[in-house]
Amino acid sequence: MALQSSAKAIIPKVSYLSSRVIMILGCNPGVMTLQGTNTYLVGTGKRRILLDTGDADVPQYTEQLHKVLTKESCDIEQIVISHWHHDHIGGVPDVLKLTKPDCKVWKFQQADDKGNVVESKIPFECLTDGQILSTEGASLRVIHTPGHTTDHAVFTLEEEDVLFSADTILGEGTAVFEDLLDYMKSLRKIQKINPKVIYPGHGPVIKDPQKVISYYLSHRESREEEILNVLMSNNGPICAANIVKVIYPDLDIKLLLAAENNVKKHLIKLMKEGKVVKDNEMWKVICSSS
């Protein structure tokens, strides 16, 4: 899910990105999903891998996916879910109606040990870090990248030196996260992989990954500095909502809660590092003894 919603370029419902990768747009636009969730059909053979499934009950998406499968004369043998958010996992039951009974659904286990993918209790196979998922013409390497969620994963396509970043890195705007420390570590992990191209979970293809990753890292670091400056300049403790008003003065009202959540995650990180303290819902800087 994204924090900003300004679309830069219209994303087609279906994009043939390479001989091995077809992107099918989830047709679920929104403030947090931008133009929709990008799902990817990977492989070259009669049975392929589908990465993410969009939201539940979106006939326009399943119709587009069915058309692609028909045109390619192929089926889906494996569904791989990047993380538990509804706009990536919700469409699993609908997609399974288009597949054969032996289709596997893969996902990392969540930290709270939830054992099923969706409310309909469809079981999934547990991904492991470094695992290779193979199909004709393509091999996906699984990389656990917690931060956005505890179960979040990205995937490298070994044959093409590209990376599917799901919601860790987006094609436009910046991403939200559950744990900032883990998120920053995951960004640096992707930075070391140094993919040639990134196929994100939302937004257009990223053709200059290092530039975007560096921006993401510096953006979080500068946001942290802004938060500390607000805390230091305020006369007494301040709540996260009022910090948002200072550092996001022109933010769309629909995004205020998401921004406040991100600020709280920064504050929690700073608290873990011993830089700030919390009293009820109020925050203040720990004064230096020097």
Side-chain angles (χ1 to χ4, degrees):
M1 291 187 180
L3 186 59
Q4 299 175 4
S5 59
S6 56
K8 294 181 180 179
I10 301 299
I11 299 174
K13 290 184 175 64
V14 176
S15 301
Y16 283 74
L17 301 178
S18 77
S19 61
R20 295 179 176 86
V21 182
I22 304 170
M23 194 279 286
I24 303 98
L25 188 64
C27 302
N28 56 333
V31 172
M32 300 300 288
T33 57
L34 305 180
Q35 295 181 62
T37 305
N38 298 335
T39 75
Y40 298 93
L41 188 66
V42 182
T44 60
K46 293 293 184 181
R47 306 204 72 190
R48 304 186 189 182
I49 296 172
L50 180 68
L51 176 54
D52 284 335
T53 62
D55 268 308
D57 303 319
V58 184
Q60 190 177 8
Y61 169 69
T62 51
E63 288 168 8
Q64 290 294 333
L65 177 60
H66 179 67
K67 287 180 181 178
V68 171
L69 295 174
T70 301
K71 181 179 179 180
E72 295 293 311
S73 300
C74 69
D75 183 28
I76 300 168
E77 67 174 342
Q78 302 177 72
I79 297 171
V80 184
I81 301 300
S82 62
H83 62 294
W84 69 267
H85 283 166
H86 67 85
D87 57 312
H88 293 259
I89 200 171
V92 167
D94 300 320
V95 171
L96 284 175
K97 293 175 183 177
L98 303 177
T99 70
K100 295 179 181 178
D102 63 345
C103 180
K104 289 185 177 180
V105 182
W106 295 89
K107 191 181 79 66
F108 263 104
Q109 193 83 18
Q110 287 175 249
D112 59 5
D113 291 329
K114 289 182 180 178
N116 291 283
V117 169
V118 287
E119 291 182 1
S120 57
K121 304 300 181 184
I122 295 170
F124 64 86
E125 305 287 334
C126 290
L127 293 171
T128 57
D129 192 38
Q131 177 181 358
I132 299 291
L133 298 173
S134 296
T135 190
E136 185 177 334
S139 301
L140 290 177
R141 182 179 297 275
V142 180
I143 303 161
H144 189 207
T145 48
H148 179 71
T149 60
T150 61
D151 64 335
H152 195 283
V154 301
F155 309 87
T156 56
L157 178 57
E158 303 292 276
E159 291 82 1
E160 294 188 8
D161 190 22
V162 301
L163 181 136
F164 299 91
S165 64
D167 282 6
T168 297
I169 300 170
L170 307 177
E172 56 191 75
T174 54
V176 298
F177 43 83
E178 290 180 353
D179 186 289
L180 181 55
L181 281 173
D182 284 345
Y183 181 66
M184 296 290 276
K185 289 177 183 177
S186 291
L187 286 176
R188 293 190 175 99
K189 184 184 292 186
I190 295 171
Q191 190 176 47
K192 289 181 180 178
I193 293 170
N194 192 26
K196 182 179 180 181
V197 175
I198 287 179
Y199 297 147
H202 304 272
V205 171
I206 300 169
K207 297 179 180 179
D208 49 359
Q210 286 298 331
K211 180 180 178 180
V212 174
I213 297 167
S214 295
Y215 168 74
Y216 266 54
L217 289 167
S218 63
H219 177 71
R220 288 294 147 217
E221 290 163 355
S222 63
R223 187 67 74 211
E224 182 173 298
E225 185 177 349
E226 286 180 312
I227 292 169
L228 284 171
N229 287 338
V230 172
L231 290 169
M232 289 187 289
S233 62
N234 196 64
N235 293 322
I238 184 172
C239 67
N242 285 336
I243 295 174
V244 169
K245 291 178 182 178
V246 177
I247 63 177
Y248 295 103
D250 302 314
L251 190 64
D252 186 330
I253 191 171
K254 295 177 182 178
L255 296 173
L256 285 175
L257 286 178
E260 183 179 343
N261 184 56
N262 271 7
V263 166
K264 286 179 178 178
K265 298 299 168 54
H266 275 279
L267 290 165
I268 290 169
K269 173 180 178 289
L270 291 168
M271 184 170 63
K272 290 177 181 178
E273 295 170 342
K275 297 178 181 178
V276 305
V277 292
K278 180 183 180 185
D279 184 8
N280 291 322
E281 295 303 317
M282 307 297 284
W283 298 84
K284 67 178 181 180
V285 172
I286 296 176
C287 296
S288 174
S289 58
S290 57

